[in-house]
Amino acid sequence: MSSVIEIILNGLITGSIYALVGSGIALVYGTTRVLNFAHGELMMIAGYLVLFFAVTLELNVALASFLTLVLVGGAGALIQRATIAPLLARNDWAFQVIAATIGLSIALQSAAQLVWGEQFRTLPYFFSGVAVIGDIRMPWQRIAILVFAVLIMSLCAFVLYRTPLGRMVRATAQDAEAALAVGIPSGLVHTAVFAISAVLAGAGAILLSPLVTVNPWMGVAYLLKGFAVVILGGLGSFGGAVAAGFLLGMIESVGVAFAPTEWRDVIAFTFLIIVIWFRPNGLFAGREG
Amino acid sequence: MLEVFGRRPYLVLLGIAACLLVVPFLPLNDYILHILTIFLIFAIFASGWNLTLGMLGLKTLGHHAFFAIGAYISAIVAYYGGISPWLTIWVGALTAAIAGVIIGFPILRIRSMPHVAIVTLAFAEIVRLIFSNLKEITRGELGFWGIPTFDPIHIGDMTLRFGVGNAVGSYALAAVFFVTVHIALLALLTSRTGLTFFAIRDAEAAAESLGVHLSRWKIFAFALSAGVVGLSGAIYAHYVMILTPISVAGPEMLITLLAMIIVGGVGRFFGPVYGALLLTVASEMLREFGDFRMLLYGTGIIFFVFVAPQGLAALKLRQRRGTTSRT
């Protein structure tokens, strides 16, 4: 019984990170139809930033996280302005944006490798101790991931569906030109959406950094999972991506209970392809999809 | 057609073949022949991938999986079965083509470019992990070494040997495959088949309304493209004689080949060849800088997408058009 609960709990924790990363990608895709292959590198940048603030400058964890999120949001906006916005006017932009962001992704990885070297570093746990409920033992740090991820995504959903900014985002998603005609600065909204998406990725990286190592390639694995989540959730649907993130985490968690750990990603991606085979629009094909 | 093939494509191919023929008689050291061999193998890979990426307009991102399948299957069959690589490369290519059909089917129903890109990328990741996890057969990331080379060929008194260390033979073999594959592709693409590909790329709905059976053609293109890429992988395996999953199916292979096609020109027949030559040579010249290699590929992709999205092949064409349009 306790092992079943542990599987579920682990699935939820992994899933919450996938949901954070995937919902960021979905938000950008849903609003601008752009698939950002450098999304994983935003996580990587956030990982190094939080390391710098919390370990090198020895700042308080909350302050370090806040500064990291602000800066990574800025980095997201900068990437959108510098590489993506100029391409959107072209004919074949969909593939050109994919190609340019792949190039950007590998360039950022190499740059990080040159600046920080190859040493893998980890942050100390933000929360010490282990929660004991019956015979289940779970470090508080892992539970914190779940709690904070859900809080951040709820906040994001609130902004999206209950605030003027969210209304502008949704209007731009439906028809950027019509939105522009009624006075919504669509270009700025696109940049803002990118910044929010970067903050979601950064939050994922901060929550993960005590558990995994910060290294130039840390974004790659989560980018692929994020993409899987976005497709499973129905391209561009924020809620669908969140649901699919938890589902994928759960499937991996159950899969690993029956198969060796190294097959975890094979299980996840095979599931993706099987789903696409039967439901090309994803499991939760959204209204916007 | 002009914008895909340029003027007199067969003559261009003949010129390339003539250049390739001269190379072994030049006073070049083995290292340069090795670089040229790698260029020829990657050029086959890039041209094969360009079939779906450029000719049919399906933006696939997982063709390094077919390279890995061709390489590993040919190596496994040759190593464990004791069968000559001259035969096993076709097994590798065929297996890659079958894999192409398998991944082609779910792609058929999708018209959204991001879906195609992500599903093919996920497929490549599955393939990499399978070869990595089947440690009893492939030794995983430790590397599958001891792959047999192509059996030597005896011509009169001369014996032509292959594999790393036999630079001239390996170069000649890669050159023969390069020219043969490109002649075959050129013949195919300048025929009715090519027209059908371009029709599907440029106006899918219109092509369908004219009776083009979209799914059959897409599956055919997928199988052919995967088969050619698989063949290049198999040749690569018996040349370098050692494979690791991350080196043949990892992200670096994807970036390297994508850069070659984009720099050369997506959808141009000779684009991938030019791109492969330029980037193989450039990255060798930058080898002493080590970590800068991937930075070069990454920034190269961004630069070309911004400045010359049609690649090197188009730059040349535009010049020619400018001079001939007045006559």
Side-chain angles (χ1 to χ4, degrees):
Chain A
M1 189 55 205
S2 68
S3 69
V4 172
I5 296 174
E6 245 166 84
I7 288 171
I8 294 173
L9 211 50
N10 277 324
L12 286 176
I13 291 165
T14 321
S16 64
I17 295 287
Y18 294 164
L20 263 183
V21 180
S23 60
I25 300 171
L27 191 59
V28 163
Y29 186 83
T31 321
T32 64
R33 302 285 127 183
V34 162
L35 201 56
N36 176 20
F37 273 74
H39 193 77
E41 279 55 53
L42 290 167
M43 286 184 81
M44 181 264 287
I45 291 170
Y48 278 109
L49 283 173
V50 75
L51 209 63
F52 173 74
F53 288 127
V55 176
T56 313
L57 296 187
E58 293 179 0
L59 295 181
N60 165 296
V61 170
L63 182 61
S65 305
F66 175 74
L67 288 174
T68 300
L69 291 181
V70 170
L71 285 176
V72 82
L78 190 71
I79 286 175
Q80 196 270 346
R81 279 280 131 183
T83 59
I84 292 164
L87 293 177
L88 291 180
R90 296 187 180 177
N91 271 336
D92 195 17
W93 66 265
F95 178 65
Q96 290 183 8
V97 164
I98 289 177
T101 52
I102 289 179
L104 183 67
S105 152
I106 205 77
L108 287 174
Q109 283 172 32
S110 317
Q113 197 187 343
L114 291 170
V115 174
W116 290 292
E118 295 194 14
Q119 80 266 37
F120 288 28
R121 294 166 64 186
T122 306
L123 224 61
Y125 272 26
F126 301 151
F127 306 93
S128 55
V130 176
V132 182
I133 311 155
D135 14 325
I136 300 163
R137 298 169 58 82
M138 191 63 71
W140 281 111
Q141 179 68 39
R142 288 180 64 79
I143 295 173
I145 289 182
L146 181 59
V147 173
F148 276 97
V150 170
L151 277 177
I152 292 163
M153 284 182 289
S154 312
L155 182 68
C156 195
F158 175 79
V159 169
L160 208 53
Y161 294 102
R162 288 281 181 276
T163 64
L165 174 66
R167 211 172 303 131
M168 287 200 271
V169 169
R170 282 179 290 134
T172 309
Q174 279 180 3
D175 190 336
E177 280 177 21
L180 197 61
V182 295
I184 295 170
S186 302
L188 281 180
V189 170
H190 283 183
T191 310
V193 162
F194 242 86
I196 297 172
S197 151
V199 168
L200 287 169
I206 294 170
L207 292 174
L208 268 175
S209 55
L211 296 177
V212 303
T213 58
V214 174
N215 66 72
W217 305 277
M218 68 181 285
V220 179
Y222 290 96
L223 177 80
L224 274 174
K225 290 290 165 60
F227 280 163
V229 162
V230 170
I231 283 203
L232 289 174
L235 269 172
S237 149
F238 184 85
V242 172
F246 283 108
L247 177 69
L248 195 68
M250 204 61 83
I251 282 169
E252 282 188 22
S253 186
V254 172
V256 169
F258 293 100
T261 329
E262 57 263 36
W263 292 98
R264 168 196 286 255
D265 289 358
V266 177
I267 294 166
F269 294 130
T270 309
F271 175 71
L272 168 73
I273 290 178
I274 292 171
V275 168
I276 284 300
W277 200 309
F278 293 104
R279 287 185 66 99
N281 293 322
L283 286 174
F284 316 99
R287 299 168 298 278
E288 298 137 290
Chain B
M1 296 293 266
L2 182 71
E3 74 212 26
V4 174
F5 298 105
R7 280 170 190 280
R8 303 184 200 288
Y10 280 101
L11 210 62
V12 174
L13 197 54
L14 191 71
I16 296 175
C19 292
L20 293 177
L21 192 64
V22 173
V23 165
F25 300 103
L26 297 174
L28 298 173
N29 61 30
D30 286 2
Y31 171 64
I32 292 177
L33 284 178
H34 163 74
I35 293 167
L36 291 175
T37 307
I38 293 292
F39 146 63
L40 290 167
I41 293 171
F42 278 0
I44 300 173
F45 182 163
S47 290
W49 185 6
N50 200 26
L51 282 177
T52 56
L53 195 68
M55 305 298 179
L56 203 73
L58 281 170
K59 305 302 185 203
T60 58
L61 285 180
H63 267 56
H64 47 313
F66 303 126
F67 187 79
I69 290 171
Y72 264 100
I73 296 298
S74 181
I76 288 168
V77 175
Y79 182 86
Y80 291 103
I83 299 167
S84 165
W86 289 111
L87 300 173
T88 61
I89 54 168
W90 305 108
V91 180
L94 188 70
T95 314
I98 293 168
V101 172
I102 291 171
I103 193 62
F105 268 110
I107 300 258
L108 281 182
R109 300 173 52 190
I110 309 170
R111 295 201 179 188
S112 129
M113 187 186 297
H115 273 89
V116 174
I118 293 171
V119 169
T120 50
L121 199 57
F123 170 71
E125 196 61 7
I126 293 175
V127 169
R128 178 180 75 78
L129 289 164
I130 287 176
F131 286 129
S132 179
N133 290 345
L134 293 175
K135 292 190 181 69
E136 294 82 15
I137 302 170
T138 64
R139 301 189 192 103
E141 286 301 337
L142 293 174
F144 186 19
W145 44 269
I147 299 168
T149 60
F150 289 95
D151 308 308
I153 297 179
H154 306 280
I155 311 164
D157 296 341
M158 208 178 66
T159 308
L160 207 50
R161 295 182 189 281
F162 305 102
V164 165
N166 298 298
V168 179
S170 305
Y171 168 82
L173 181 79
V176 167
F177 271 111
F178 170 87
V179 173
T180 314
V181 166
H182 280 84
I183 289 175
L185 287 180
L186 192 54
L188 185 84
L189 287 173
T190 47
S191 74
R192 206 182 156 78
T193 308
L195 286 175
T196 313
F197 278 17
F198 304 137
I200 293 173
R201 178 187 66 184
D202 297 334
E204 188 167 295
E208 193 172 23
S209 73
L210 290 172
V212 172
H213 204 301
L214 284 184
S215 49
R216 269 185 221 160
W217 280 100
K218 284 186 181 174
I219 288 290
F220 169 69
F222 244 100
L224 184 69
S225 172
V228 171
V229 172
L231 180 67
S232 73
I235 298 167
Y236 177 84
H238 297 290
Y239 172 58
V240 298
M241 289 143 61
I242 177 165
L243 297 173
T244 60
I246 195 83
S247 74
V248 289
E252 284 204 12
M253 189 59 99
L254 163 71
I255 305 287
T256 307
L257 268 293
L258 187 65
M260 287 174 183
I261 298 179
I262 287 175
V263 167
V266 181
R268 313 264 161 180
F269 185 79
F270 290 108
V273 179
Y274 302 145
L277 180 63
L278 181 78
L279 282 174
T280 316
V281 172
S283 88
E284 278 307 322
M285 289 186 341
L286 288 172
R287 187 169 275 284
E288 54 189 300
F289 296 104
D291 297 343
F292 282 103
R293 275 156 54 91
M294 291 319 285
L295 198 59
L296 165 89
Y297 282 116
T299 46
I301 292 177
I302 301 173
F303 177 81
F304 270 84
V305 165
F306 269 89
V307 178
Q310 312 295 319
L312 292 172
L315 292 179
K316 231 170 80 189
L317 185 77
R318 196 178 300 159
Q319 221 173 29
R320 274 194 199 155
R321 257 190 190 161
T323 51
T324 50
S325 59
R326 271 180 229 120
T327 56

